[in-house]
Every structure is written in structure tokens, then in C-alpha cells.
Amino acid sequence: MLETGDSAHFLSGLTHLTWNHTSEPTVILHTCTMDVFGDAQSAETPEGAFAVTRADDRRSTAESPGKGAG
């Protein structure tokens, strides 16, 4: 489940849907890009097919400039 500020990135060939697990109003911003150059991974390839970024992870990285370097 995603929370405020979280994001998910996935190959559009994967079966997907969204829904609100609460009774509160929810806003989902959906954007997509086309595979213009034909170099996208196959939807059958599990590596890198789905990634979630948590808002807390982004904040802690921004607050600690040296974190994640390397």
C-alpha cells in the first residue's frame, strides 16, 4: 500500500490496478511514458519490473547529503 508522497514505477505490460483501501478521498496521479526507442525490458522479466519509493526514504536522503553516495 502506498502512502502520501510514495510512488510506484512498473512496466505497463504487468497486470495492474489501483483502489482506495479507506473511506477517505484519495488522489492518484498517473503518468506514463512510451517506449520510443524499443529498449524497455520485457514485461516477463521480473528484475526491475516494479519499484516503490517511499516518501520517508526521499526525505532522509535529502536531509543527509552523504547518505547513499558511493
Side-chain angles (χ1 to χ4, degrees):
M1 291 195 327
L2 299 177
E3 297 181 9
T4 301
D6 292 351
S7 63
H9 179 262
F10 56 89
L11 296 172
S12 62
L14 296 174
T15 301
H16 57 280
L17 57 97
T18 57
W19 68 93
N20 182 359
H21 294 271
T22 72
S23 59
E24 299 297 317
T26 299
V27 175
I28 298 173
L29 173 63
H30 174 103
T31 62
C32 54
T33 56
M34 296 172 30
D35 181 19
V36 176
F37 300 106
D39 58 356
Q41 292 178 332
S42 165
E44 297 173 6
T45 305
E47 297 84 25
F50 189 87
V52 172
T53 302
R54 299 288 179 192
D56 289 340
D57 294 341
R58 287 193 302 274
R59 278 194 291 270
S60 63
T61 301
E63 293 167 4
S64 306
K67 184 177 180 181

